[in-house]
């Protein structure tokens, strides 16, 4: 059977384009590997700091509310004290015991109001004290995390600065390299990369084994890969075979 040269060339060019993309992505992976978990650590610290700041703001609002309550309770106490004085003056001019007892009851009620107001004021003051302690502890942790963030950002900026030019160059190359790859293949490539730990979606057969999972590739399958008549994937890991490595004699 005579093979179709145009088909062979097309498949070979597809595999070559995929292998080139893989080489670029592997270099980008290495740059990002050097950064390690620093970007995530920076983001986590920023989120934690934002949480502490929200907590402090909430405490401040609660303290403001408690201070308003204290102000209202103090005013209520003053109003009750004013009524007591007025009732006491009225007691001096009562005409009988019934009026005297009625006014005395009102005085007792106002005294009770003062006691309740004083109790509520003490409770609010205690809550304010506790919340101020919480604010103090939260602000201390906040300052510690801000220092940690500054350190992590410094580390990250240093590493990014060292590799920024290389990364930009590779990203430009990548943008060009994906253009000739048909969407179906690009989607499969991206999916495979996402499913494997080392990010290798396109590999060569090396020493009779898959360059990704290292399982043995039979001779007949290697011959099919070399022929470039169709795109062949590893039956064990699903990676795309670009070629078979040529070994020296």
């Amino acid at each position: 059977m005579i093979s179709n040269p145009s088909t062979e060339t097309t498949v070979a060019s597809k595999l070559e384009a995929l292998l080139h993309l893989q080489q670029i992505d592997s270099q980008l992976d290495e740059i990002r590997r050097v950064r390690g978990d620093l970007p995530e650590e920076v983001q986590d610290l920023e989120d934690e700091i934002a949480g502490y700041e929200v907590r402090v703001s909430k405490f401040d609002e609660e303290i403001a509310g408690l201070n308003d309550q204290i102000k209202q309770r103090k005013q209520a106490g003053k109003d009750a004290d004013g009524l007591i004085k007025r009732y006491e003056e009225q007691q001096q001019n009562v005409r009988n015991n019934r009026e005297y007892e009625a006014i005395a009851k009102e005085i007792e009620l106002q005294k009770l109001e003062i006691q309740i107001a004083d109790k509520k004021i003490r409770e609010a003051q205690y809550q304010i004290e506790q919340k101020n302690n919480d604010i103090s502890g939260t602000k201390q942790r906040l300052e510690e995390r801000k220092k940690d963030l500054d350190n992590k950002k410094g580390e990250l900026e240093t590493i990014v600065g060292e590799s920024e030019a290389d990364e930009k160059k590779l990203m430009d190359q990548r943008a060009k390299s994906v253009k000739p790859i048909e969407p179906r293949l690009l989607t499969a490539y991206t999916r495979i990369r996402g499913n494997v730990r080392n990010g290798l979606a396109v590999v060569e057969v090396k020493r009779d084994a898959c360059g990704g999972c290292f399982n043995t590739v039979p001779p007949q399958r290697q011959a099919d890969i070399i022929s470039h008549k169709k795109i062949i994937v590893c039956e064990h890991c699903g990676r795309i075979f670009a070629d078979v490595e040529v070994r020296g004699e």
Side-chain angles (χ1 to χ4, degrees), residues 81-245:
D81 190 54
L83 286 171
I84 289 171
K85 289 177 180 178
R86 198 169 79 188
Y87 287 140
E88 286 174 343
E89 288 175 2
Q90 289 178 5
Q91 274 185 326
Q92 305 300 319
N93 301 311
V94 295
R95 290 172 294 182
N96 52 56
N97 287 337
R98 175 192 270 175
E99 289 183 7
Y100 186 91
E101 288 174 1
I103 293 173
K105 187 176 289 186
E106 288 297 330
I107 290 172
E108 287 301 318
L109 286 174
Q110 295 306 317
K111 286 181 178 179
L112 183 60
E113 285 293 328
I114 292 172
Q115 289 175 7
I116 292 171
D118 288 342
K119 182 174 179 291
K120 294 294 184 182
I121 288 170
R122 288 194 299 272
E123 289 175 353
Q125 288 172 336
Y126 176 77
Q127 289 180 52
I128 289 173
E129 184 181 347
Q130 294 302 307
K131 290 184 186 300
N132 278 325
N133 289 336
D134 289 337
I135 288 175
S136 179
T138 302
K139 284 184 174 179
Q140 184 178 346
R141 289 191 291 275
L142 179 59
E143 289 306 311
E144 290 170 355
R145 291 298 177 269
K146 283 183 176 180
K147 289 178 182 177
D148 291 340
L149 178 60
D150 288 341
N151 290 335
K152 292 292 182 184
K153 276 186 172 180
E155 291 178 37
L156 184 58
E157 286 171 4
T158 299
I159 293 172
V160 169
E162 292 171 350
S163 59
E164 191 172 16
D166 290 338
E167 185 178 16
K168 186 180 183 306
K169 183 179 177 181
L170 286 168
M171 289 300 295
D172 290 342
Q173 291 176 11
R174 190 183 195 282
K176 294 175 183 176
S177 69
V178 297
K179 288 181 180 178
I181 301 174
E182 61 187 79
R184 178 182 61 85
L185 274 178
L186 188 58
T187 299
Y189 168 83
T190 303
R191 177 179 53 78
I192 296 168
R193 260 178 63 80
N195 290 336
V196 294
R197 286 187 177 182
N198 57 11
L200 293 176
V202 182
V203 296
E204 292 182 323
V205 176
K206 297 181 179 180
R207 299 181 183 276
D208 300 325
C210 170
C213 67
F214 309 112
N215 279 292
T216 300
V217 180
Q220 181 54 52
R221 198 163 184 80
Q222 291 188 44
D224 292 339
I225 295 166
I226 292 171
S227 70
H228 294 153
K229 290 181 180 178
K230 61 180 180 178
I231 292 176
I232 298 172
V233 300
C234 176
E235 59 186 11
H236 299 285
C237 66
R239 289 177 171 89
I240 299 169
F241 286 124
D243 212 336
V244 176
E245 183 183 53

